[in-house]
Structure formats: C-alpha cells, structure tokens
Amino acid sequence: MPYPFTEDDKMYEVIRTDYHLLNMMSRFGISLGFGEKTIGEVCEMENVDTTTFLIIVNYLRGIRDTGSYIYEQLSVSTLITYLENAHTFFLDFQLPYIRRRVIEVVDCSSENKIGMLIIKFFDEYIAAVRKHMLQENTKVFPYVKKLLHGERVEAYDMAIFSKGHDMIESKLKELKNIIVKYYKTDTDVNQLNSVLFDIYNCEDDLRAHEEIEDNLFVPAVRHLEKTVGNLSGTDSNKTKQDEEQLSAREKEIVQCIVRGMTNKEVAEELFISLNTVLTHRKNIARKLSIHSVAGLTIYAIVNDLVKIEDIKVGK
Ligand SMILES: [Fe+2]
Ligand SMILES: [Fe+2]
C-alpha cells in the first residue's frame, strides 16, 4: 500500500509516482511548471481546495478512506469543477479521438458487417456517455449548486448516477468483446491493438471518474442535503419506494426463488402457469434492476422477505 500524499509533499512527486494523474491535475485546473512547490502551495496558488485535491489524488492511488468525516471535509464546489472538466475532456477530446482512430483502423465498408457493427456500437456508446454526462451537467450540478447556496429545492434522485454508470460500462464491455472475438482484419494488427489500448485506457479513466462520483461526490451531496434539510432524495427512500412497487404476488415469487425453487416448482406452489411465473420474474427484474438470484437473495434478506436460514446455498 503506497503512503498517502500530504500537503507538504512536492507536487511533482504526484506525477512522478503515476503519470495517469496528469489528467487529474488538469481537471483541477492546475497547470504544470510548479517547480519545487508543495501540494499545499500549488493548490493555494491555483485556488483549489487542498483537502479535496488530496482526497482525490490518494483515492486514485488506491488509498480509500471511507470514514464518514471525509464527506464533511470535501469541497463540493471543487468536486463539481473537477467533474465538469472531466466531462469536457471525455466528450470533446477523448471519445471523438478514439472514434477517429477506430474509423482509421476498422474496415467500415458495407461488405464488412462486423466493421460496421463496431462503428455502430461505438456511436451508441458515445451517445450514451454524452447523454449521461449532459444530464449531470444540466440537472445534477445545478441542483447541487443550489444546495450550496443553502436553497431547499425539489430533491434530485441521486440514484440515477449508478444506474447510468452500469449501462455505460456494459456497453463498452460489449464493444470490446465484439472487436476481440469477431473482428478479423487484413490491416496492421499493431494498429488495431493500439486502438484497443486506447479504449482500455479510456475505460479505466471513465471507471475512476464514475467511482469518484459514486463514492465521494454522491455521499458528499447527501451530507449537504442533510445540512440544508433537503432529504427526500436519499437512498433509504429509494429502496422503500422500490419495495412498495412489488406486488404481493411478486414478493411471494421472490421468496420462492431465493429459497432455491425452480420456475416450475414456483408455478406448482402458487397454482399459476409457468408463463405467468416467467412474466412475474421479468417484471421483478425490471422493477428492481436485479437480474440474478444472488442479487434477489440479498434484496429479499435486506427487505425482510426471507430469513437467512431459509436460503439454500449452492443451488
Ligand atoms: Fe460524470
Ligand atoms: Fe456519471
């Protein structure tokens, strides 16, 4: 485990330790050329909250302090600037750059179905990322800025963050699978590999961005909501609403499934057809956004639908 940076460490040490942190530096609006200045001195010069800078830099290096006091220390306005700059980087630079490179390397002529599919997928992926980030820019950040001014406004559902992140990640995974598994090419394999490296790097960068949003920004906003008295957008309310949306029959089905019953056994137990069980299962998955028995099991335990001792392990 690396040691955490403090405000007395030299700023150049940050880049020397990990060059990936260059991106982070520019998202804080810090330019290079800081000579022998310390992190604290550079942050003060550049009007960046030192504590927030240190929490992010250490978080990106894998030193993740999850104590709740951390959310009180984070400067939410500094975080918003950081996230907005990251959005500009992804949308205006990184993703268009990778798209240009994919088009250079992948045969997109109408004879090459896989090539066309790759471009189509990539465009869909960029559109999904753009939609998600613009939603954050135009809905989430303005909401949080109002909170920062002490305004009590209609709460924004912060759970939208993680839902959007899951979707973005699964789309990119699919794209990489298509390229790696099915794309055969006469073009230079080194060129194709280098595009793949760009995609993998971008994926890592996006994942780190999403983690900062989920694990630092959202909890800091929740803390702010509590301070201002804007409480209706919290997780606990969300879980309760979701549970209430399940009908009594759907809850019975969840109870059967997590006890290890097959669909046929559920149908017999509840005197309904197999098709009805399948329809209920689809609706349950849609309502809860949970698609595995393992996930349903956790849901059922957390919401007191079953007791842990009723769960069959290994089925
Ligand atoms: Fe974002
Ligand atoms: Fe996001």
Side-chain angles (χ1 to χ4, degrees), residues 247-260:
S247 67
R249 181 58 105 191
E250 286 164 349
K251 282 184 187 173
E252 281 180 303
I253 288 175
V254 170
Q255 287 165 330
C256 292
I257 294 165
V258 303
R259 286 195 179 105

Side-chain angles (χ1 to χ4, degrees), residues 289-307:
S289 296
I290 296 175
H291 301 272
S292 65
V293 175
L296 273 184
T297 306
I298 293 167
Y299 173 85
I301 293 170
V302 169
N303 289 286
D304 289 329
L305 294 182
V306 288
K307 298 261 174 290

Side-chain angles (χ1 to χ4, degrees), residues 10 13 21 24 36 54 66 91 95 112 164 196 215 220 242-243 291:
K10 303 277 187 205
E13 282 294 333
L21 296 172
M24 177 220 56
E36 293 293 320
L54 286 168
T66 51
L91 296 181
L95 290 169
N112 192 329
L196 276 171
N215 302 333
D242 281 345
E243 191 198 347
H291 301 272

Side-chain angles (χ1 to χ4, degrees), residues 108-217:
C108 327
S109 62
S110 52
E111 295 89 61
N112 192 329
K113 287 211 171 95
I114 299 292
M116 280 176 70
L117 196 61
I118 289 170
I119 300 294
K120 188 169 169 276
F121 240 97
F122 197 67
D123 283 345
E124 275 179 20
Y125 171 69
I126 292 181
V129 175
R130 182 175 295 279
K131 189 174 165 214
H132 175 78
M133 289 185 175
L134 291 182
Q135 191 163 29
E136 290 171 347
N137 287 353
T138 57
K139 299 232 164 74
V140 183
F141 298 155
Y143 163 67
V144 179
K145 282 175 186 171
K146 281 185 184 159
L147 288 182
L148 282 169
H149 285 105
E151 289 180 44
R152 287 176 72 160
V153 282
E154 197 188 330
Y156 185 82
D157 182 4
M158 298 300 285
I160 203 157
F161 267 69
S162 41
K163 277 194 179 161
H165 295 162
D166 291 347
M167 181 269 301
I168 287 170
E169 210 161 292
S170 62
K171 264 206 180 320
L172 188 61
K173 206 175 274 171
E174 232 165 308
L175 173 73
K176 282 185 310 181
N177 282 345
I178 293 176
I179 298 180
V180 173
K181 281 171 141 177
Y182 305 113
Y183 188 67
K184 276 194 192 308
T185 176
D186 298 330
T187 50
D188 185 357
V189 73
N190 291 325
Q191 272 195 333
L192 184 64
N193 285 350
S194 119
V195 173
L196 276 171
F197 282 129
D198 281 342
I199 296 178
Y200 281 114
N201 270 329
C202 182
E203 183 188 13
D204 288 344
D205 200 5
L206 264 172
R207 190 180 300 119
H209 173 81
E210 289 163 358
E211 281 185 16
I212 287 173
E213 287 182 339
D214 288 338
N215 302 333
L216 296 176
F217 181 66

